[in-house]
Amino acid sequence: MGSSYVPHAAGYVDNGGPKLVTSRFGYEDSHTLARFEATGGYVGLKAALAKRPADVHGEVREATLLGRGGAGFPAGVKWGFCPEGVWPRYLVVNGDESEPGTYKDRLLMERDPHQLIEGSLIACYALGLSQCFLYVRGEMALAQERIATALNEAYAAGYVGREILGSDFSVDIVLHWGAGAYIVGEETALIESLEGNRGMPRLKPPYFPAAIGLYGKPTIVNNVETLANLPWILEHGAAAYRRYGSESSPGTRMFAVSGHVKRPGVYEVEQGVTTFRDLFYGEDFCQGIREGHELKMFIPGGGSAPWFFEEHLDVPLEAADVGAAGSMLGSGAIIVMDDSTDAVKACHRLVRFFARESCGKCSPCREGTGWEEKILQRILDGHGRPSDIDLLLDVGDNISPGPYPVAAHTAEGLEVVPFPPRQTTICPLGPSSVAPIVSTIRRFRHEFEAKITRGDTIPVSAAPVTAGGAGS
Amino acid sequence: MTFFNSDNERLAREVISRYPRARSAAIPLLHLAQEQEGWVTPAAMVQIAELTGSTPAEVLGTASFYEMFKFHPVGKYVVNVCTNVSCQLLGGEELLEHAEASLGVRAGGTSQDGLFTLEDVECVAACTEAPCFTVNYRYFHRATTGSFDEVVADIRAGRSPIHHGAAGDDGELPEHGTLGRVRQHIPDDRRAGVEAPEDVVGAPLWLAADRAGEG
Ligand SMILES: Cc1cc2nc3c(=O)[nH]c(=O)nc-3n(C[C@H](O)[C@H](O)[C@H](O)COP(=O)(O)O)c2cc1C
Ligand code: SF4
Ligand code: FES
């Protein structure tokens, strides 16, 4: 009765590989201070405090720790963008995880909150950040509860707050949570939200809030998983970290594989050395596509990423390779779709997401995503017009002009356009809405046409449809 | 104007004291208001404006951006069914249809007995456990129409649907408005201290000491 409720974050699968961030996931009480201290907790912080702050920064730079929030920017380099002599500096932890398909930060917050606190402290020590705000997604009640408990324990034990572990390092960590808005995950929107405003992205430049962020002061925004790697790096050193993964993407990443595989789950995987094929078909991983079905397509990096197909299975899980192949590893969200999937329907669902979540600040995105959704809806409803396919591409071109990043389709003689897309918008949300559209039309144009032919029996309205979204 | 009861007013002031600027507490205080009343009332926004040094219109401006804030009474239990793509692939839309039929409301509506509000929501970060739904933001993974009905039946019968409470999760399902039930509390003798950004001059102690050592 009701036994489907899962108080521990379920979904994590131990695949027998190295565990840099999931080492405590096997324990029921992994979220408690007692377990944390018994399993090497706060050792990385102590190692950091024994070093000069600049050397801690150096260690992180040398580790080439790539950001896990989506853009994959090296943390050590970003940390260097804080202007000299401007104080105070802040840390904002991005725990807003909402990209379709993404499920890893919630696990890290629910299962090992002290690891995240320790990582945040290490960043603060290295850069002289004098206050840290831990911004958790509003919908994640258990994560909020676990972090609050962990912070209360950590304050009492002297790990957080004034004169940490008897040193002259003092920093407050404030738990803050959101209230439901995907766009708040974008770092400048996150800062607006933390200032008590509507969560709308800020105009760029400056490109990094490290220059001008919270209250106009230098602010480092890092993803939960990025920071969760710091305790390991400080405990074992950058050289040891670089022994995992590949030259350009060292270490591991957490990947959530969802959809039509036999064993969906969250896996900690060495970057670069594992391929999509290993992940989908490996015995230690997803164990293949659902019985009786074959792979049709997959999304390698969350709802915002262009789609991949059968011919991309041997691409390694490595940001540079996936980018060159026309998509992105993004937030470690891999969505697998088998041959039972209606490509137009899946495309429509993602586009509807972007249309709902557009913050409305810039018109190409606000208007464009709405039109994309409407056009796709009428195609699905059997009211599509033959011109709708080109109209969709045209609306997309107004949001992201020029050739849109897309995987190669060797069979059709189409060449790869590498990531990222161009944009007429303030942030990448608008251009992301074009990814499912271009991906599906390029590969499955016939599925759109099939739906539209059926619609031909319905008289086309007298109002002419012109490019750019007029008429309806 | 008083909306918050005395405990919550004290809590509100404690929350504000953690931020360099009071306005940053707007969202936490809106959550506190929703916890007290189940929704965000106009009176709550007036008091939050007073407490954070803004106007009620600014508070509404902020609040109305965020989906979790409700400006009219909703059910005691807010049921969110995810229909985004990972869930869609494994029956999220069918689960929503079932929920509509079973609760007798369309997505967005509240059942006549005021018990349930049903919502069709975006990805809730449980994609490998699809399809899924949440009740007052507590997760139910790998749902079936059967497990959905069991949860609803438990709630209607006044039983908690959460049978497998773990540490930090006592098995209670709070009413709508309550999120994390453990509150952060920073003891006075452990506080590093909060300063307005414009009052801060120079690097923090541990960095300044290190740099002095350099020169
Ligand atoms: C629309 C949009 C949504 C985003 N959502 C998230 C998110 O939920 N979590 C996250 O960490 N980063 C998100 N990002 C990326 C952040 O802007 C930022 O790059 C990241 O938090 C930086 O941390 P990292 O360098 O450690 O990856 C989003 C970006 C965009 C454009
Ligand atoms: S691209 Fe969309 S989400 Fe981003 S700022 Fe513009 S309107 Fe807002
Ligand atoms: S798509 Fe439903 S939880 Fe992510």
Side-chain angles (χ1 to χ4, degrees), chain A residues 100-102, chain B residues 82-87 123-127 130 132:
Chain A
T102 312
Chain B
C82 174
T83 59
N84 208 313
V85 68
S86 300
C87 288
C123 178
V124 294
C127 322
C132 61

Side-chain angles (χ1 to χ4, degrees), chain A residues 183 201 357-362 365-366 425-427 429-430:
Chain A
I183 190 57
E357 299 296 333
S358 167
C359 82
K361 186 162 174 169
C362 44
C365 169
R366 181 185 60 239
T425 52
I426 294 169
C427 91
L429 184 146

Side-chain angles (χ1 to χ4, degrees), chain A residues 131 133 174-176, chain B residues 8-22 24-30 32 52 183-186 191 194:
Chain A
Q131 205 176 354
F133 298 92
V174 175
L175 169 62
H176 183 102
Chain B
N8 282 344
E9 187 169 334
R10 187 187 46 74
L11 262 172
R13 291 187 195 283
E14 184 186 334
V15 168
I16 291 169
S17 76
R18 289 184 209 140
Y19 295 92
R21 289 194 182 148
S24 283
I27 291 175
L29 297 197
L30 284 158
L32 190 62
T52 59
R183 297 188 200 280
Q184 179 178 14
H185 176 68
I186 304 179
R191 261 172 103 108
V194 179

